[in-house]
Amino acid sequence: MKFSTISVIVSLATGGSAASAGDWRSRSIYQVFTDRFARTDGSTTYPCDVRNNIYCGGTWKGIENKLDYIKNMGFTAVWISPITAQVAEAYHGYYQTDLYSVNSKFGTVNELKSLASALHSKGMYLMVDVVPNHMGWAGCHDTVNYRTFKQFNTADHFHSYCEIKDMKNQNQVEKCWLGNCNITMPDIKTESPQVAKEMNSWIKSLVSTYSIDGLRIDSVKNVNKDFFPPWCKSAGVFCMGEVSEGLANYTYPYQQYMDSVLDYPLYYSITRVFQKKTNMSDLVVNLASCTENAKNGCKDATLLGTFFENHDNARFPSVTNDMSLVKNALAFSVMSDGIPVIYQGQEQHFAGGDDPGCREALWLSGYKTDTPLYKHTAYLNQIRNHISSTQNTYLTYYSRVLSYTADTIQLRKDAIRTILTNQGEDGGSYTLTTQGMAFTSGETVVEVLSCNKYTASAKGEVDVKMSGGLPNVLVPEGALKKSTMCGYT
Ligand SMILES: *[C@@H]1O[C@H](CO)[C@@H](O)[C@H](O)[C@H]1NC(C)=O
Ligand SMILES: *[C@@H]1O[C@H](CO)[C@@H](O)[C@H](O)[C@H]1NC(C)=O
Ligand SMILES: *[C@@H]1O[C@H](CO)[C@@H](O)[C@H](O)[C@H]1NC(C)=O
């Protein structure tokens, strides 16, 4: 009897649909920083001073109650902070103490399961942040009491202590410890077969217990690469790793060990080009660094996570409040080849600086949905969702640079042609004749952000009205059928 009961439970738990890389390619991810997204009481006034580095009260129930705010922006997946139990005041979730218990500040096991089913019932995926590199200890490395780490309760589960002195020394980066004497991060010995085995069974159980569809993996460069293939296989879902490094030939090779990495090389390029107005050639070089014949060890640009804000880096508007520049950066990240990842608060034009500044409580915005960037993000996701679901060549079509000048670039990804500029709000009004768009002569072309219409010339080009440095997203009228965009039905 006992055995049969257990096997029924196991088969139900594993009966969910494990989402693969291919399933994720079409998704658009909204990054939630759990402590700062929504409180269970739905407050829009509860104070949260980011400088204090303490919990502000966001919960899984709070997220569940606000899913329509995310869904109505066109997102089809939500990434949440790590869910494991933590040392005191680790509101971000990166100092875990027990892999098998959940962070009670964020809610209960049942509330987390309820969030997963609420997402699934809305057709959205759940991505959970996971930390295979380390545990957390509130004190110096020589005071760690290993018995408190339930599964890894002896020192031999960890590397012996050393400090990372040289970030260029990969052996040190993988084996030495992060942190200091306020908070130290005992470094899990992931190359030990016994430890790897325990990690594999943990991740398998985590994914099935909480019906997780994908993982965001923290501190990937601090873990031995060989750890990942069996681990992600045990998870059985899409794996996207954080390799926080701008060098293409350092970051992209990790894609040979997991489905995807967050595209840090492109992140730096997006911020240089659209925030600091450097030459568009910068973007051209970075786009080519993954697409050309698996250069730099990159495997598949259409699976990389494309972003330009997150909880670790100063927000884009902390440098410039120019609305056109941020609209171009957003248009680029949604229309480019990778999976878009937008961090909570971008849609509210939050402007926080470096961590912890960029971890503002979203509730203080009042969850307004009529803001310029909420609407802009919704339009961009809508066009990507529509084209990718009606044209099966779109998602795997690698973007081509049609032409560029120092401040303007013309791109094509299958049906969608994008004109981006870093001229900013002062860009003025002028007509730009496109180059290399290859529309069908005489066809009507719609710019979906303004709903302006153009007729393609005999050469397949259009004369686009450029205005105030805004981005242009052009598609043939025929591709908009049934889209509900710009009046097409
Ligand atoms: C430890 O925390 C104290 C109090 O917050 C702070 O003043 C000090 O700089 C921290 N030390 C390190 C090494 O971060
Ligand atoms: C990686 O690229 C950088 C910059 O292009 C270059 O300086 C470095 O030598 C390259 N490293 C390797 C291992 O190829
Ligand atoms: C922008 O970059 C291109 C390609 O490197 C170069 O030809 C052009 O002169 C640059 N323009 C400016 C204004 O620096």
Side-chain angles (χ1 to χ4, degrees):
M1 271 309 282
K2 255 188 185 161
F3 282 119
S4 63
T5 312
I6 288 168
S7 70
V8 167
I9 290 167
V10 168
S11 67
L12 279 177
T14 54
S17 60
S20 67
D23 298 326
W24 275 86
R25 192 177 273 117
S26 62
R27 299 277 156 165
S28 185
I29 303 171
Y30 185 77
Q31 181 194 352
V32 162
F33 193 80
T34 303
D35 183 55
R36 306 287 161 85
F37 180 71
R39 292 169 48 90
T40 301
D41 63 12
S43 172
T44 53
T45 55
Y46 192 89
C48 178
D49 184 340
V50 293
R51 291 166 303 183
N52 293 340
N53 283 311
I54 55 172
Y55 282 102
C56 289
T59 59
W60 295 317
K61 185 50 77 184
I63 301 170
E64 182 179 339
N65 292 341
K66 289 276 180 283
L67 283 185
D68 284 341
Y69 172 84
I70 301 172
K71 186 179 161 76
N72 291 341
M73 242 184 302
F75 290 102
T76 47
V78 174
W79 151 18
I80 60 172
S81 303
I83 61 180
T84 47
Q86 301 285 313
V87 302
E89 295 309 341
Y91 65 95
H92 42 66
Y94 297 106
Y95 303 153
Q96 60 203 354
T97 53
D98 179 0
L99 298 178
Y100 284 90
S101 299
V102 300
N103 183 344
S104 57
K105 292 279 192 176
F106 294 164
T108 63
V109 163
N110 283 337
E111 283 165 346
L112 180 53
K113 289 180 178 174
S114 171
L115 171 59
S117 24
L119 279 163
H120 294 153
S121 73
K122 289 178 186 293
M124 298 164 89
Y125 280 167
L126 173 63
M127 172 175 271
V128 171
D129 208 326
V130 286
V131 188
N133 179 61
H134 56 263
M135 304 296 281
W137 176 257
C140 247
H141 60 86
D142 53 1
T143 66
V144 175
N145 178 355
Y146 292 95
R147 284 196 305 275
T148 62
F149 304 137
K150 304 244 169 74
Q151 298 74 38
F152 300 127
N153 59 0
T154 52
D156 58 5
H157 287 89
F158 296 85
H159 293 121
S160 40
Y161 175 78
C162 52
E163 191 190 330
I164 304 178
K165 291 196 175 125
D166 177 9
M167 286 300 289
K168 292 205 167 71
N169 180 332
Q170 187 60 27
N171 195 48
Q172 270 186 28
V173 168
E174 289 176 13
K175 294 195 173 133
C176 293
W177 293 25
L178 296 166
N180 55 45
C181 271
N182 287 340
I183 181 77
T184 188
M185 289 167 247
D187 205 76
I188 300 171
K189 198 173 183 178
T190 40
E191 73 276 19
S192 144
Q194 183 54 35
V195 171
K197 202 173 151 213
E198 289 178 47
M199 288 298 273
N200 293 349
S201 60
W202 168 61
I203 202 65
K204 185 173 184 204
S205 126
L206 193 83
V207 163
S208 74
T209 304
Y210 300 107
S211 311
I212 295 167
D213 304 291
L215 302 175
R216 180 270 186 187
I217 309 171
D218 182 62
S219 302
V220 161
K221 66 180 173 192
N222 301 99
V223 177
N224 55 308
K225 292 188 175 78
D226 290 337
F227 168 76
F228 291 108
W231 196 60
C232 288
K233 190 162 181 263
S234 301
V237 293
F238 179 63
C239 281
M240 176 183 275
E242 176 216 20
V243 183
S244 52
E245 167 57 56
L247 273 179
N249 60 7
Y250 181 91
T251 298
Y252 293 145
Y254 280 91
Q255 206 185 16
Q256 291 163 28
Y257 299 84
M258 60 188 71
D259 299 313
S260 167
V261 293
L262 284 154
D263 199 339
Y264 263 97
L266 196 54
Y267 155 76
Y268 287 109
S269 182
I270 294 171
T271 51
R272 283 190 300 264
V273 165
F274 293 108
Q275 202 182 44
K276 306 191 180 76
K277 300 190 176 194
T278 60
N279 196 323
M280 281 293 167
S281 60
D282 184 320
L283 210 52
V284 175
V285 168
N286 274 273
L287 280 172
S289 73
C290 180
T291 56
E292 280 176 5
N293 310 319
K295 206 163 93 184
N296 293 309
C298 196
K299 227 168 80 181
D300 185 347
T302 69
L303 293 175
L304 299 175
T306 309
F307 71 98
F308 64 96
E309 286 187 26
N310 63 27
H311 59 302
D312 287 328
N313 295 282
R315 290 184 182 272
F316 186 100
S318 70
V319 171
T320 169
N321 62 10
D322 187 300
M323 195 56 100
S324 292
L325 290 176
V326 72
K327 282 185 170 178
N328 277 273
L330 272 165
F332 178 77
S333 43
V334 177
M335 294 306 152
S336 192
D337 290 332
I339 300 169
V341 186
I342 309 288
Y343 174 48
Q344 68 172 57
Q346 289 191 238
E347 72 279 11
Q348 300 293 346
H349 209 208
F350 278 2
D354 279 318
D355 157 23
C358 54
R359 298 171 174 184
E360 310 95 320
L362 187 77
W363 55 79
L364 296 175
S365 72
Y367 304 101
K368 290 192 191 74
T369 57
D370 58 355
T371 67
L373 294 180
Y374 185 100
K375 289 192 281 189
H376 185 61
T377 305
Y379 287 134
L380 293 168
N381 275 327
Q382 191 180 359
I383 188 69
R384 182 176 186 269
N385 290 340
H386 174 72
I387 297 292
S388 64
S389 64
T390 52
Q391 312 217 350
N392 59 17
T393 48
Y394 177 75
L395 289 168
T396 51
Y397 186 108
Y398 274 45
S399 283
R400 292 180 206 158
V401 176
L402 304 177
S403 74
Y404 70 99
T405 60
D407 63 15
T408 303
I409 190 168
Q410 300 184 35
L411 294 155
R412 176 173 184 184
K413 184 172 172 69
D414 205 4
I416 302 184
R417 283 79 158 180
T418 310
I419 304 173
L420 303 171
T421 172
N422 61 10
Q423 292 164 346
E425 288 168 0
D426 299 332
S429 295
Y430 61 98
T431 299
L432 179 147
T433 301
T434 60
Q435 282 176 37
M437 292 278 165
F439 289 117
T440 303
S441 168
E443 80 179 328
T444 299
V445 172
V446 183
E447 198 288 300
V448 295
L449 301 172
S450 62
C451 298
N452 286 339
K453 288 181 191 173
Y454 304 101
T455 303
S457 69
K459 290 180 175 157
E461 307 295 349
V462 286
D463 291 331
V464 174
K465 278 181 253 170
M466 299 293 286
S467 168
L470 290 170
N472 287 261
V473 177
L474 302 160
V475 291
E477 181 179 58
L480 286 178
K481 264 189 229 135
K482 299 202 173 112
S483 70
T484 75
M485 298 195 82
C486 297
Y488 290 91
T489 52

